[in-house]
Amino acid sequence: MSGGPGLEFEVAIADLESRIAALERQTDRSDATENEIRELRMELVNQLRDVYGSLDAWQTVQVARHKNRPYTRDYLNLAFDEFVELHGDKHFGDDRAMLSGFAKLDRFKVMVLGHQKGRTYKERAACHFGCAHPEGYRKAMTKMRLAEKYQLPLICFIDTPGAYPGIGAEERGQAQVIAESMFMMSRLKTPVICVVIGEGGSGGALGIGVGDRVAVLQHAYYSVISPEGCAGILWKSHEHAPKAAAALRFTSKDLRRLNVVDDVLEEPLGGAHRDHHQMASRLKTYLSRTLAELEQKTSDELVDSRYEKFRRIGVFLEDAS
Amino acid sequence: MSTVDTNASRAQAEAATNVPPKKRGVPEGLWLKCPGCGASVYKKEVEQQLNVCPKCEHHFYVSAVQRIEQVLDAGTFELMNDHIRPTDPLVFTDRRNYADRLIGEQNRTGLSDAVMTGTGMVRARRVAFAVTDSAFIMGSMGSVVGERLTRLIEKATEQNLPLIIVSASGGGARMHEGILSLMQMAKVSAALARYDEAGGLFISVLTNPTMGGVAASFASLGDLVFAEPKALIGFAGPRTIKATIGIELPEGFQTSEFLLEHGYIDRIVTRKNLKTEIARAIDYCGK
C-alpha cells in the first residue's frame, strides 16, 4: 500500500512510489524494466529509512493524522478474531466517535473501547473526526463496568484530536465525564491496556487512558494540548504550530523518556499507513503477550500497581530543607 | 497574612518588598470600577466584604492566602509540601523560557507554584485544605500542583480528614510541562478514587475561573460541588468553542448558574457563606 495523499516531506517518496507503480502496470516487462523496478525499490527503502528515521515533531503529527492511517475499526478487523459491537450510553445517545464491544484476540475474550475517526467524509462527519462528546465517555464507562463485572480485560485504543468542544458537550458535562472516567479506570478490577494508535489529544485521550500498561505507536503522539492550540495561546498564532509541536515533547521517544508510556510499538517502514496488516499483526502480538502477563496478577495487585504507576509521574524539585 | 505562618507568606513578604505584587481584579487606588455592575465602589469596602462588590455581589479575585484566611479558622493553617518546587523538565521555550517565567511568577505572586496545600480548621473541624491561585500561570496544574494535591489527598485518606479543594484555575493542565501536566489529572483523580473508597468526604469549591484539565479532573469529583456565583467553569475555552462551531455562544454559557441549571453542581455559595456551608456539610456527612 502506498502512502496515499502526499505529505510535504514525502514528495520524493511519492514520486518513487508512482514510478514503481507505473512500471509494474506494464504487462510484458523486459529484464531491463525488472531491473529498474528493483533499483527503484531499493531507492524507495533508503528514502523511507532516511525520512522516517528522523521525523521531527511536526512531521510526526502529520503522520499520526494521515488519512490512510489505520483506525480503531481497522485494528478490530485485522487484529481480532471477532468484534461484537455494543452501542449506547443508556443515558443520552450513541456516540460514533467512541467504539465499544466484545472482542476475541487469540484465546482472550476482551472488551474493546476506542476512538473512531471515520474514513470517508460522511463517516468522519458522523464521528466528529474522532472527537467524542460526553455520551462517548458515558458509553465507555458503561462498558468498563460490564468488563469489570464479567472479568473481561479492557483494551482501549486512543486516537482523538481531543474531546469535542461545543455547546451540547458543555451542557452535558464534558469535564465531568472525563474526570469520572479516569476516576473509574483507576480502580477497575480487571486488566486494562491502553494504546495510543494515532493522536493522543489531551483530556479526550486520557479519558480512556488510565491503564496497567500504556503503549504508543512509534509515530503517534500524546499531548496536553494540540500544537495548534498551544501555538494560538503562547505564540498568539496557529502558524507557529510546528514550533509548539517541538516544544511540547510529545513524540514516542519523549514519552518513553518521561516515563509516561511503558512501551513503544515500532511501525512498519514508512509508517502504519503503508502497511495496515503488518501494524495490526505487531499490535496483536503486543496485546496477546501483555494480556498473558497481566492475567497472572490478582485484581488487587492490578489496582495497586496501576495506582503506583500514575503516582510516580511528574518531575519536580524536592529539597530537604 | 498573620494567620499563615509559612514559608510562602515569608516569600510573599520578601517579594512584596522587591516587586509589588500585581493583584488581578483589584487594581490599585481608592476606588475601583466593578465589572459586574459598572459602579465605582470604595476599595476598602470591597476588601471588608471579602472582595465582593457591596452593590451587586460581583466576586472579585482573591489570592490563595486570602482564601485561606477567609475559610479557615485564624492561625490554624499548616502549610505542607511547599518544599516541592517546580522545574523545567521539557526545557520549554515559547516566546519566553518556562524557567524564567516560573521565577517571574514566583516573584510577582510570592507563591512557589499555583497551589497551596495543608491542614487547618473550619469552625473547629480539622480538614485537609488546598487552594489554587489564578494569578500563578492561570492557576494551571503541572507536576508540582499534581504532586502536592496527591500528597494532601493521601494524608486525608490516612488521617480520615474531610478534604476541601478550592479551584481557581483558568489554565487547566499547564502546557509548559506538556504531557506530564496531563498525567497529573489521572494521578490526582486516582488518589481521589482511593480516598473515596476509604469513605472520605471531598468538597470541591469552584471559583472563577475553573477550566480545562482542572475542571476535567479533581474539581468535578467532589462528593459535593459548590461554586461561587457567576464563575466561569467549563471544559473547552469559550474561544475554542466559538472557533469550532462558528456561532455566538449563549448568554451565561459556562457560568456557575449554567452548571447548576444543567445539574453539575450542588449549590451556588456566596463567599461570605462559604465557611459556614462547608462546616455544615461536614456535619451532615458525619465527619
Side-chain angles (χ1 to χ4, degrees):
Chain A
M1 189 179 298
S2 84
L7 301 174
E8 57 188 33
F9 56 88
E10 283 198 331
V11 175
I13 291 170
D15 178 50
L16 281 168
E17 281 175 338
S18 65
R19 278 162 66 196
I20 292 167
L23 290 173
E24 281 177 341
R25 271 196 299 274
Q26 296 177 12
T27 44
D28 202 13
R29 293 197 287 258
S30 65
D31 285 354
T33 310
E34 290 291 353
N35 271 336
E36 197 184 345
I37 290 177
R38 210 171 302 127
E39 270 166 29
L40 286 172
R41 280 187 177 288
M42 275 165 60
E43 174 61 20
L44 176 64
V45 166
N46 288 336
Q47 284 276 353
L48 286 170
R49 277 215 184 99
D50 277 2
V51 171
Y52 277 80
S54 58
L55 291 179
D56 66 25
W58 182 239
Q59 290 170 333
T60 301
V61 171
Q62 309 310 308
V63 174
R65 291 175 179 169
H66 198 287
K67 281 191 164 49
N68 287 348
R69 196 168 171 87
Y71 299 142
T72 295
R73 178 84 69 186
D74 300 306
Y75 291 122
L76 284 165
N77 289 335
L78 297 172
F80 291 79
D81 305 314
E82 181 177 68
F83 176 57
V84 182
E85 186 166 2
L86 300 171
H87 296 269
D89 71 342
K90 318 288 168 71
H91 182 78
F92 180 84
D94 182 39
D95 191 340
R96 309 303 297 158
M98 184 71 76
L99 269 180
S100 61
F102 298 126
K104 278 186 186 156
L105 181 118
D106 291 340
R107 66 186 166 88
F108 300 100
K109 287 185 280 187
V110 299
M111 178 71 79
V112 174
L113 295 174
H115 298 108
Q116 177 62 21
K117 286 183 166 175
R119 190 71 63 194
T120 64
Y121 183 78
K122 205 174 153 195
E123 280 170 6
R124 294 172 91 79
C127 298
H128 297 286
F129 301 85
C131 299
H133 278 69
E135 41 276 22
Y137 295 96
R138 290 204 172 91
K139 175 178 177 178
M141 282 189 274
T142 65
K143 311 318 171 199
M144 287 176 199
R145 267 182 230 113
L146 196 64
E148 181 178 56
K149 185 172 176 186
Y150 298 104
Q151 289 299 294
L152 299 169
L154 180 68
I155 294 173
C156 301
F157 294 127
I158 294 167
D159 191 14
T160 180
Y164 192 82
I167 293 174
E170 297 290 320
E171 286 175 336
R172 299 195 291 279
Q174 192 69 287
Q176 180 82 32
V177 294
I178 290 172
E180 279 177 10
S181 189
M182 294 185 297
F183 184 92
M184 178 185 284
M185 287 185 94
S186 74
R187 306 309 286 169
L188 274 186
K189 288 178 179 293
T190 195
V192 183
I193 305 172
C194 305
V195 186
V196 184
I197 58 172
E199 293 189 86
S202 193
L206 186 59
I208 56 166
V210 183
D212 300 298
R213 292 285 185 282
V214 179
V216 60
L217 302 199
Q218 186 184 359
H219 304 308
Y221 77 100
Y222 196 179
S223 179
V224 66
I225 185 169
S226 71
E228 290 89 345
C230 181
I233 296 168
L234 294 180
W235 280 267
K236 310 291 174 201
S237 161
H238 290 201
E239 285 165 24
H240 294 287
K243 276 189 217 161
L248 285 163
R249 314 270 175 206
F250 54 42
T251 66
S252 59
K253 251 188 212 155
D254 297 317
L255 296 166
R256 187 68 209 91
R257 184 175 57 82
L258 294 165
N259 279 322
V260 166
V261 301
D262 303 290
D263 302 288
V264 176
L265 307 190
E266 199 187 328
E267 297 194 15
L269 184 63
H273 55 285
R274 283 202 160 70
D275 194 339
H276 288 200
H277 283 88
Q278 198 184 354
M279 192 65 245
S281 139
R282 287 182 191 180
L283 182 65
K284 182 175 184 170
T285 306
Y286 173 76
L287 291 173
S288 185
R289 194 183 68 219
T290 310
L291 285 167
E293 226 174 87
L294 294 176
E295 75 175 348
Q296 306 297 318
K297 300 196 176 195
T298 67
S299 55
D300 284 347
E301 283 169 350
L302 287 171
V303 170
D304 286 347
S305 61
R306 194 182 308 143
Y307 183 81
E308 289 307 324
K309 171 181 156 57
F310 283 87
R311 180 71 190 82
R312 281 192 295 269
I313 301 179
V315 178
F316 48 83
L317 305 173
E318 186 166 17
D319 57 52
S321 60
Chain B
M1 198 78 79
S2 62
T3 58
V4 189
D5 179 23
T6 61
N7 287 338
S9 67
R10 274 201 303 278
Q12 196 149 28
E14 281 163 24
T17 58
N18 299 331
V19 189
K22 242 195 277 164
K23 285 187 182 168
R24 291 158 53 124
V26 188
E28 300 302 317
L30 285 177
W31 295 86
L32 49 96
K33 194 174 155 91
C34 172
C37 61
S40 289
V41 286
Y42 192 41
K43 196 181 151 200
K44 271 259 163 58
E45 204 182 340
V46 171
E47 283 172 357
Q48 276 162 10
Q49 309 219 14
L50 312 175
N51 283 359
V52 174
C53 172
K55 297 226 162 65
C56 73
E57 294 221 315
H58 171 79
H59 283 50
F60 286 94
Y61 161 80
V62 292
S63 70
V65 171
Q66 287 172 316
R67 182 69 71 176
I68 288 165
E69 288 170 354
Q70 291 176 6
V71 176
L72 298 181
D73 300 344
T76 62
F77 183 65
E78 288 177 39
L79 184 73
M80 284 167 43
N81 293 315
D82 193 54
H83 66 289
I84 296 173
R85 294 295 168 105
T87 178
D88 179 16
L90 307 187
V91 198
F92 190 96
T93 300
D94 48 276
R95 296 183 304 173
R96 194 176 167 196
N97 293 331
Y98 177 50
D100 294 340
R101 190 184 290 272
L102 280 172
I103 293 166
E105 294 288 289
Q106 287 168 341
N107 289 336
R108 193 172 59 76
T109 63
L111 298 166
S112 53
D113 206 312
V115 75
M116 291 177 75
T117 63
T119 57
M121 301 280 203
V122 178
R123 299 210 196 289
R125 296 154 187 85
R126 188 154 182 267
V127 301
F129 188 86
V131 51
T132 65
D133 193 321
S134 63
F136 194 102
I137 316 187
M138 302 289 285
S140 57
M141 175 162 63
S143 296
V144 169
V145 173
E147 183 66 21
R148 285 187 189 161
L149 287 174
T150 304
R151 290 195 193 188
L152 182 75
I153 296 161
E154 287 175 341
K155 188 183 178 81
T157 310
E158 279 160 29
Q159 302 193 354
N160 195 23
L161 293 175
L163 170 70
I164 322 294
I165 304 179
V166 182
S167 300
S169 298
R174 189 177 298 167
M175 290 175 283
H176 315 75
E177 293 182 31
I179 190 72
L180 295 170
S181 299
L182 188 74
M183 292 297 144
Q184 302 309 307
M185 294 166 60
K187 178 163 117 181
V188 177
S189 300
L192 285 171
R194 285 229 300 208
Y195 174 70
D196 178 61
E197 244 175 45
L201 166 65
F202 171 30
I203 302 172
S204 174
V205 182
L206 313 180
T207 73
N208 188 48
T210 298
M211 299 295 292
V214 168
S217 61
F218 61 87
S220 292
L221 291 171
D223 295 294
L224 291 166
V225 181
F226 294 165
E228 286 195 337
K230 297 192 176 132
L232 179 73
I233 304 162
F235 177 68
R239 263 179 306 174
T240 307
I241 297 175
K242 232 172 104 175
T244 307
I245 61 180
I247 57 169
E248 284 301 313
L249 301 175
E251 178 81 19
F253 182 62
Q254 293 183 317
T255 57
S256 308
E257 292 71 19
F258 171 91
L259 262 86
L260 186 83
E261 175 83 19
H262 287 94
Y264 291 100
I265 57 181
D266 292 283
R267 288 177 72 75
I268 291 179
V269 178
T270 58
R271 197 169 286 161
K272 70 173 189 300
N273 291 335
L274 184 58
K275 184 170 184 168
T276 305
E277 291 253 3
I278 289 172
R280 184 164 63 182
I282 292 172
D283 290 347
Y284 266 101
C285 297
K287 288 284 167 183

